[in-house]
Amino acid sequence: MNVLEMQNISKSFGSNHVLKDISISVDKGEVVSIIGPSGSGKSTLLRIATFLETLDSGSISYMGEYAARTGENGKAVYAKNLKPFRKDFGLVFQNFNLFPHYTVLKNVMDAPVSVLKRDKNEVREECMELLNKMGLGDKWDFYPCQLSGGQQQRASIVRALAMKPEILFFDEPTSALDPELTGEVLKVIKQLVEEKMTMVIVTHEMSFARAVSDRVVFMDKGVIVEQGRPEDVFGNTQSERTRQFLQNYNNN
């Protein structure tokens, strides 16, 4: 079953046509990496999937239910209540977005308790289990400023997982980290891959995308240029534009 289906997505900011009729679907348990040069529309696509930006036309559905689709006037119409859809996904940002005045535990417990209205003790137990699993069990009462960048990013992954989403989105999860801390976060994502977590990862880490993805999508100038299995996109590239982009990576 498709966890996410985005059809004919278009988005402009003024005269800048950022996404041009893009369609993408993600199956349960699938890991999709989106690669491409800066400014190709990758992050905008993620922001539209998570309702941080509105689309101009096209449709978005989660678990077979429409969150938005093009109406009679050719413009996208959103469901009156997006709250149920927000429970379907988690989003991990490149700059962590943790609340600085909350401890690590409060950061990860906040949404399940206040948004999902779940039992506090039950949530605490689950969150402590997740923090232990991510190597943060001894940091539960620390504040974000007391953590390294890699630890902050792991805490933000736990925060997303605490909502028990159907799909996790990562927007350049390692771009704010140095190489050593990058490895730390990629290891956690690999762990989620092994657990069959459905994920969409926007990344500049080519070797990582090649290693963990079921499918790689190459975007440029607001369109999907090429997509397929990692071994095909990286090893048997069909498009000249993809080949140019990957040249630096393949030469390393």
Side-chain angles (χ1 to χ4, degrees):
M1 181 190 188
N2 284 348
V3 175
L4 169 69
E5 180 101 42
M6 298 176 82
Q7 292 286 346
N8 312 111
I9 301 292
S10 291
K11 176 68 180 178
S12 296
F13 294 105
S15 60
N16 184 11
H17 202 169
V18 184
L19 296 175
K20 305 164 187 173
D21 199 32
I22 279 190
S23 295
I24 188 168
S25 63
V26 183
D27 289 338
K28 193 165 181 59
E30 191 178 21
V31 178
V32 177
S33 287
I34 304 179
I35 61 171
S38 296
S40 56
K42 309 181 299 292
S43 290
T44 303
L45 186 66
L46 238 60
R47 288 177 69 80
I48 282 173
T50 54
F51 314 140
L52 293 172
E53 296 282 359
T54 54
L55 70 162
D56 296 337
S57 60
S59 67
I60 306 170
S61 67
Y62 280 97
M63 310 302 288
E65 298 284 327
Y66 280 103
R69 55 175 139 186
T70 305
E72 287 167 16
N73 63 354
K75 293 282 179 197
V77 179
Y78 279 81
K80 282 193 172 66
N81 183 13
L82 288 175
K83 211 171 171 182
F85 296 101
R86 290 184 197 281
K87 291 176 189 171
D88 288 333
F89 61 78
L91 176 59
V92 178
F93 299 89
Q94 52 184 288
N95 55 351
F96 325 133
N97 279 33
L98 295 166
F99 294 118
H101 55 295
Y102 284 1
T103 62
V104 168
L105 184 60
K106 188 160 168 53
N107 260 290
V108 300
M109 279 182 65
D110 188 55
V113 172
S114 60
V115 178
L116 301 182
K117 310 292 184 213
R118 292 188 52 213
D119 176 71
K120 207 169 182 175
N121 293 330
E122 196 179 293
V123 170
R124 184 190 171 92
E125 202 175 303
E126 280 175 16
C127 289
M128 281 305 297
E129 206 173 297
L130 282 169
L131 287 169
N132 281 321
K133 191 168 130 187
M134 297 293 178
L136 293 170
D138 58 343
K139 303 280 191 265
W140 65 271
D141 58 346
F142 281 42
Y143 287 88
C145 66
Q146 297 173 290
L147 303 178
S148 70
Q151 288 168 337
Q152 287 187 59
Q153 191 58 296
R154 280 185 280 151
S156 65
I157 293 171
V158 172
R159 183 180 57 183
L161 289 171
M163 293 293 281
K164 301 186 176 177
E166 295 288 344
I167 183 170
L168 260 189
F169 294 101
F170 291 88
D171 187 9
E172 300 281 9
T174 58
S175 68
L177 304 174
D178 64 37
E180 197 177 339
L181 298 177
T182 292
E184 198 181 289
V185 171
L186 296 182
K187 193 174 155 194
V188 166
I189 298 173
K190 279 181 180 164
Q191 202 177 323
L192 296 174
V193 170
E194 284 162 21
E195 291 167 12
K196 300 282 181 251
M197 182 78 208
T198 310
M199 291 185 277
V200 176
I201 306 166
V202 168
T203 184
H204 279 120
E205 301 283 337
M206 295 301 134
S207 53
F208 174 70
R210 186 172 191 160
V212 304
S213 310
D214 296 302
R215 184 156 39 105
V216 174
V217 175
F218 172 64
M219 281 179 69
D220 188 33
K221 294 178 181 167
V223 297
I224 291 175
V225 177
E226 185 168 348
Q227 63 176 310
R229 296 178 312 166
E231 54 267 40
D232 293 332
V233 173
F234 288 100
N236 185 24
T237 317
Q238 300 300 304
S239 149
E240 184 53 39
R241 179 64 191 100
T242 316
R243 202 172 287 122
Q244 279 173 351
F245 177 76
L246 292 175
Q247 206 162 19
N248 293 337
Y249 162 68
N250 288 333
N251 288 341
N252 284 343

